[in-house]
């Protein structure tokens, strides 16, 4: 298939492109390199530097490569910033997303895989969260993604778009070549491992902060469901293959097991063999106490099964990547 991947220079997008190329697909990538890295783009993919909101550039890509399907990763994704600058989230994640759908429609391309998020659910009413759980986001990031899920429902019923939306829980880990390197790092596992690297190199650490210690959880810190990024990437490809049968499906993507922030730090200590210092800090705005997924639906409908379900393995692959790339992609 000829596939356009938006955000294909980013963390999850680049690893999905790597898997698509391995499976013999022709891939075009559009990425504005605001968060993504040129080095992360597969040499076999055709790369366009630009915004997915640029309709003219998109039209050129669709016409040049006869795109059959789009996997849409590009987005504003930081929960914290979405609370102070929601406009950016609604423009990029909703308005520019609709522009992309319009260009697809104009070019007769109606297959779409969408990166959504567990943040569309808000505070869990029950756990693990299945697809029937109510969606009441508590941050603008989750709201913008939920809006787009709903827009996709309308594009399905009115224009015959076939789409799958994936609500990611916490993607982590690395492939051999590609890993997590955000310009503004807010995610727990890379911050924990960077702190470990600082300790290993006798550098002053930036200081690992554990946000909140009185959540209603086993040890008072937030609980999350970590999923290996390669398992996640593979699910997108399965979804593309399944799109004719499940043509407007939404799937929760996790491992069905929750780990607290303190447990993540403990496992990272074991894997790195290093002491990882931290201090408690106040809660971060927009953080639900517990987010754990039920991924039964994707397993039963698409036969998805994680190859790397254990958090030890997830953290180990991330540690190996960070150890090889102590300054991320800029080495
Ligand atoms: N977290 C933390 N310190 C950090 C970064 C994250 O305590 O420096 C916590 C955060 O509050 C959340 C969990 O770790 O409960 C996972 O956060 P992350 O940003 O990795 O993913 P999110 O769940 O927000 O998508």
């Amino acid at each position: 298939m000829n596939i356009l991947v938006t955000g294909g220079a980013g963390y999850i997008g680049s690893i999905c492109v790597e898997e698509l190329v391995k499976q013999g697909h022709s891939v075009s990538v559009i990425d504005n390199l605001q968060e993504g890295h040129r080095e992360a783009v597969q040499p076999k993919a055709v790369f366009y530097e630009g915004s997915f909101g640029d309709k003219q550039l998109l039209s050129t890509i669709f016409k040049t490569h006869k795109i059959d399907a789009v996997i849409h990763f590009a987005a504003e994704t930081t929960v914290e910033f979405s609370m102070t600058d929601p406009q950016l989230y609604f423009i990029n994640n909703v308005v520019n997303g609709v522009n992309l759908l319009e260009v697809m429609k104009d070019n007769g391309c109606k297959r779409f895989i969408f990166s959504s998020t567990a943040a569309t659910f808000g505070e869990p009413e029950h756990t693990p969260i299945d697809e029937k759980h109510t969606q009441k986001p508590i941050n603008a990031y989750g709201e913008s993604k939920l809006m787009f899920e709903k827009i996709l429902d309308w594009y399905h019923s009115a224009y015959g778009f076939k789409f799958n939306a994936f609500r990611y829980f916490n993607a982590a880990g690395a492939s051999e070549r590609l890993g997590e390197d955000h310009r503004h790092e807010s995610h727990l596992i890379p911050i924990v491992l960077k702190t470990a690297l600082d300790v290993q190199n006798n550098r002053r650490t930036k200081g690992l902060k554990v946000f909140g210690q009185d959540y209603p959880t086993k040890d008072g810190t937030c609980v999350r469901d970590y999923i290996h990024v390669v398992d996640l990437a593979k699910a997108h490809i399965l979804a593309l293959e399944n799109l004719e049968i499940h043509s407007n499906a939404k799937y929760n993507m996790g491992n069905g097991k929750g780990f607290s922030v303190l447990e993540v730090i403990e496992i990272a200590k074991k894997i790195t063999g290093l002491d990882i210092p931290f201090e408690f800090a106040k809660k971060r705005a927009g953080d639900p106490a517990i987010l754990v997924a039920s991924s039964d639906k994707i397993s039963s409908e698409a036969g998805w099964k994680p190859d790397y379900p254990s958090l030890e393995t997830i953290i180990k692959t991330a540690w190996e990547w960070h150890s090889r790339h102590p300054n991320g992609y800029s080495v």
Side-chain angles (χ1 to χ4, degrees):
M1 254 193 260
N2 297 326
I3 300 169
L4 172 63
V5 178
T6 73
Y11 172 45
I12 308 175
S14 64
I15 292 177
C16 187
V17 172
E18 184 172 60
E19 289 299 318
L20 286 165
V21 166
K22 264 191 212 162
Q23 297 193 18
H25 295 287
S26 298
V27 184
S28 305
V29 168
I30 183 168
D31 197 302
N32 63 6
L33 299 185
Q34 207 175 292
E35 266 301 322
H37 302 272
R38 182 68 186 86
E39 301 82 343
V41 180
Q42 281 302 305
K44 282 193 178 156
V46 182
F47 178 64
Y48 292 90
E49 184 174 344
S51 159
F52 71 93
D54 180 344
K55 287 174 83 173
Q56 215 167 353
L57 176 58
L58 282 178
S59 295
T60 307
I61 299 173
F62 274 85
K63 292 195 168 48
T64 310
H65 300 283
K66 306 203 173 359
I67 300 297
D68 299 305
V70 174
I71 307 183
H72 182 39
F73 291 99
E76 297 295 330
T77 59
T78 310
V79 167
E80 204 180 347
F81 298 157
S82 83
M83 302 299 277
T84 49
D85 192 7
Q87 176 173 289
L88 193 61
Y89 287 70
F90 294 118
I91 290 177
N92 258 325
N93 298 356
V94 183
V95 178
N96 286 343
V98 173
N99 284 340
L100 168 62
L101 296 179
E102 244 188 279
V103 177
M104 288 179 66
K105 189 156 77 64
D106 291 347
N107 285 278
C109 174
K110 295 186 174 181
R111 277 181 276 197
F112 195 76
I113 309 293
F114 175 53
S115 298
S116 188
T117 169
T120 58
F121 290 108
E123 282 295 347
E125 288 161 7
H126 56 82
T127 190
I129 297 176
D130 59 13
E131 287 76 4
K132 293 193 183 84
H133 192 286
T134 42
Q135 288 177 292
K136 277 194 257 164
I138 59 167
N139 50 60
Y141 167 56
E143 190 76 68
S144 68
K145 290 283 183 173
L146 179 57
M147 282 177 175
F148 204 69
E149 285 193 5
K150 290 183 177 169
I151 289 168
L152 288 173
D153 282 329
W154 289 105
Y155 271 69
H156 171 72
S157 60
Y159 307 125
F161 268 60
K162 296 178 178 174
F163 79 91
N164 281 188
F166 283 117
R167 286 83 172 249
Y168 304 158
F169 282 62
N170 291 62
S175 75
E176 200 161 319
R177 202 177 81 78
L178 304 167
E180 190 166 13
D181 178 16
H182 300 289
R183 300 227 158 68
H184 167 80
E185 192 51 82
S186 64
H187 293 106
L188 179 64
I189 291 179
I191 292 176
V192 166
L193 296 180
K194 280 180 180 174
T195 307
L197 274 179
D198 287 340
V199 171
Q200 191 176 49
N201 294 301
N202 295 315
R203 283 190 304 245
R204 253 173 74 100
T205 73
K206 281 203 187 119
L208 166 61
K209 294 196 165 53
V210 172
F211 300 136
Q213 53 179 322
D214 63 351
Y215 283 99
T217 60
K218 44 191 157 186
D219 59 21
T221 64
C222 282
V223 168
R224 293 291 181 271
D225 180 348
Y226 296 88
I227 176 170
H228 199 287
V229 63
V230 171
D231 286 330
L232 195 53
K234 286 181 177 164
H236 292 72
I237 304 173
L238 270 180
L240 268 184
E241 290 161 1
N242 243 23
L243 217 44
E244 298 307 314
I245 310 166
H246 299 288
S247 54
N248 67 334
K250 293 161 189 161
Y251 296 113
N252 295 355
M253 297 301 304
N255 275 310
K257 247 184 116 182
F259 292 89
S260 72
V261 175
L262 295 182
E263 285 174 329
V264 168
I265 297 171
E266 262 325 295
I267 294 173
K269 275 188 187 170
K270 209 174 79 193
I271 288 185
T272 60
L274 295 161
D275 191 28
I276 303 175
F278 66 86
E279 57 187 43
F280 287 106
K282 69 177 182 359
K283 287 179 181 170
R284 195 169 64 173
D287 265 348
I290 303 176
L291 286 174
V292 178
S294 159
S295 297
D296 292 350
K297 188 176 170 197
I298 179 102
S299 303
S300 66
E301 289 190 356
W304 178 79
K305 214 170 120 293
D307 292 326
Y308 311 104
S310 96
L311 184 58
E312 276 80 1
T313 312
I314 293 172
I315 294 182
K316 187 165 174 285
T317 60
W319 175 239
E320 284 163 359
W321 191 84
H322 282 288
S323 302
R324 281 198 302 273
H325 302 85
N327 297 309
Y329 284 105
S330 58
V331 273

